[in-house]
């Protein structure tokens, strides 16, 4: 078995990762189990919510995604993009060069008005990111990626003493690249994979990552992003589609797995999973406690799939 240990004594099982991901990806591309009910075109937040009348491949849409993704940090993604869709209709100047002239206080008030998550922090980041976008990249976010990997962009940030592009870490940079590939305006860098809470929980619950103690979410991301990119490249899979497969699984099934029996029928990874791990410490304190007992998987309620189910939202 191909296993390695990180500096924080995290055990990574690559062979299990290949097996679990193959099962999930196969179900996704065939439209089986969960993926009979959800798909990227109809249910991905960035596809459901967007500025009215703004053409999909346009520079305006690209800039909107740049600022919206910047605020998508430990938030409910549907709320993030729904809020930005409303915000862009009422205050389109936030997504143009005009925002450089606005203060963080003004921006925060507008973000609060549409319930954009973490409005204070996002308002502080917003003008600084705008200055970089319009000053260093002529207002074209694709220039940020041109000829650069995700690691190259992170090096660029470090060379600027982190003053440029606050909020754009490897997860958000990978997520934005995914959005742009989805629009058909660029290809994702080979080292791009948005490792969010769903991806991290999936890896832990399915035994891809193991430890007996507390592990920072940054450490899990540091391990998983290159691992997932390596396997996706090796298998010839689409990182965009694999990312959506894990996200839908986590968003629609894993979060409520301990409450009902729907996952027993719909989850492609049910046979591999050891039970979902609590996300409380991830959101409140930024780490996973891998030593705690896992949630019982599959719940105890009767199987049902009403129209009010999150699967159809």
């Amino acid at each position: 078995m191909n296993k390695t240990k990180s500096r924080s004594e995290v055990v990574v099982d690559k062979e299990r990762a290949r097996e679990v991901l193959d099962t999930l990806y196969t179900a996704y591309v065939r439209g089986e189990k969960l993926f009979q009910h959800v798909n990227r075109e109809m249910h991905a937040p960035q596809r459901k919510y967007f500025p009215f009348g703004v053409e999909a491949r346009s520079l305006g849409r690209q800039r909107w995604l740049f600022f919206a993704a910047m605020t998508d940090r430990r938030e409910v993604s549907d709320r993030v993009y729904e809020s930005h869709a409303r915000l862009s209709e009422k205050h389109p100047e936030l997504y143009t060069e005009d925002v450089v002239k606005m203060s963080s206080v003004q921006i925060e008030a507008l973000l609060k008005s549409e319930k954009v998550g973490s409005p204070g922090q996002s308002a502080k980041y917003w003008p600084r990111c705008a200055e970089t976008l319009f000053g260093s990249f002529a207002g074209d976010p694709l220039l940020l990626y041109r000829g650069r990997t995700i690691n190259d962009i992170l090096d660029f940030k470090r060379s600027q003493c982190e003053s440029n592009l606050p909020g754009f870490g490897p997860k958000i940079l990978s997520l934005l690249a995914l959005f742009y590939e989805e629009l058909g305006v660029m290809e994702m860098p080979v080292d791009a994979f948005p490792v969010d809470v769903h991806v991290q929980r999936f890896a832990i619950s399915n035994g891809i990552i193991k430890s007996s103690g507390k592990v920072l979410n940054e450490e899990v991301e540091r391990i998983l992003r290159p691992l997932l990119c390596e396997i996706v490249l090796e298998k010839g899979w689409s990182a965009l589609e694999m990312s959506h497969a894990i996200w839908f699984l986590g968003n629609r099934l894993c979060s409520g797995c301990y409450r009902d029996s729907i996952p027993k029928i719909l989850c492609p990874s049910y046979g591999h999973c050891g039970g979902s791990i609590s996300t409380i410490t991830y959101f409140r304190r930024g780490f996973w406690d891998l030593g705690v007992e896992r949630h019982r998987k599959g719940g105890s309620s009767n199987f049902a799939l009403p129209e009010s189910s999150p699967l159809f939202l």
Side-chain angles (χ1 to χ4, degrees):
M1 187 173 290
N2 187 4
K3 293 182 179 180
T4 58
K5 284 190 175 183
S6 74
R7 288 191 296 273
S8 58
E9 301 300 309
V10 177
V11 178
V12 182
D13 190 336
K14 284 189 177 183
E15 287 306 315
R16 186 168 182 83
R18 292 186 180 98
E19 180 183 0
V20 173
L21 291 170
D22 183 69
T23 300
L24 178 63
Y25 195 76
T26 298
Y28 179 85
V29 296
R30 291 179 179 176
E32 298 173 345
K33 292 186 175 287
L34 170 67
F35 308 114
Q36 289 181 296
H37 306 280
V38 296
N39 62 74
R40 176 165 57 83
E41 289 300 319
M42 293 182 61
H43 300 99
Q46 74 280 3
R47 305 292 283 182
K48 290 166 60 178
Y49 309 107
F50 48 83
F52 179 76
V54 178
E55 196 272 324
R57 293 165 58 93
S58 68
L59 183 58
R61 182 73 161 268
Q62 294 166 30
R63 289 174 177 171
W64 179 81
L65 284 168
F66 175 87
F67 289 107
M70 183 264 292
T71 70
D72 192 359
R73 302 181 305 277
R74 298 188 191 179
E75 301 289 341
V76 177
S77 293
D78 275 275
R79 295 177 188 167
V80 170
Y81 299 96
E82 183 179 17
S83 295
H84 278 280
R86 293 194 307 267
L87 191 63
S88 65
E89 291 183 18
K90 297 178 181 179
H91 302 284
E93 67 276 11
L94 285 172
Y95 306 89
T96 71
E97 192 169 6
D98 290 340
V99 76
V100 175
K101 304 172 186 175
M102 298 175 66
S103 69
S104 294
V105 174
Q106 291 174 300
I107 295 171
E108 182 176 359
L110 297 180
L111 299 185
K112 284 182 176 179
S113 71
E114 296 302 329
K115 297 181 173 56
V116 173
S118 304
Q121 185 180 57
S122 296
K124 290 178 181 178
Y125 290 171
W126 202 296
R128 291 163 60 190
C129 290
E131 288 173 4
T132 300
L133 175 62
F134 293 101
S136 300
F137 300 105
D140 184 351
L142 298 185
L143 294 180
L144 173 65
Y145 294 95
R146 187 164 297 171
R148 294 186 179 93
T149 63
I150 299 300
N151 288 337
D152 289 337
I153 300 173
L154 295 173
D155 288 341
F156 165 76
K157 284 190 58 176
R158 283 188 284 268
S159 72
Q160 303 295 314
C161 300
E162 300 290 341
S163 61
N164 291 345
L165 299 174
F168 281 90
K171 180 252 182 176
I172 299 299
L173 287 168
S174 294
L175 182 66
L176 186 58
L178 181 152
F179 292 163
Y180 290 155
E181 177 168 305
E182 187 173 50
L183 292 180
V185 295
M186 62 169 266
E187 293 184 0
M188 292 174 65
V190 294
D191 63 343
F193 201 102
V195 180
D196 64 2
V197 61
H198 298 298
V199 175
Q200 295 192 23
R201 179 175 57 187
F202 174 83
I204 294 168
S205 298
N206 285 279
I208 296 170
I209 284 183
K210 300 176 184 177
S211 180
S212 59
K214 299 174 182 178
V215 184
L216 292 174
N217 63 356
E218 290 91 346
E219 175 70 0
V220 178
E221 193 280 337
R222 185 191 67 79
I223 294 168
L224 283 180
R225 182 165 61 92
L227 173 64
L228 292 168
C229 289
E230 175 188 338
I231 295 175
V232 164
L233 184 63
E234 169 192 304
K235 297 287 189 178
W237 295 334
S238 162
L240 182 153
E241 303 296 6
M242 176 58 81
S243 177
H244 279 89
I246 300 176
W247 189 86
F248 280 129
L249 187 70
N251 177 264
R252 304 303 170 103
L253 294 184
C254 297
S255 294
C257 182
Y258 67 95
R259 290 193 296 265
D260 58 54
S261 59
I262 291 176
K264 294 179 182 179
I265 306 299
L266 296 185
C267 179
S269 304
Y270 193 82
H272 298 286
C273 181
S276 180
I277 188 170
S278 172
T279 60
I280 291 176
T281 58
Y282 172 93
F283 284 109
R284 293 183 179 175
R285 302 179 65 185
F287 69 82
W288 297 96
D289 189 351
L290 275 67
V292 301
E293 185 177 355
R294 306 294 167 81
H295 290 306
R296 180 180 62 180
K297 64 179 183 177
S300 57
S301 65
N302 294 326
F303 176 78
L305 204 61
E307 290 187 3
S308 60
S309 166
L311 295 178
F312 297 102
L313 299 180

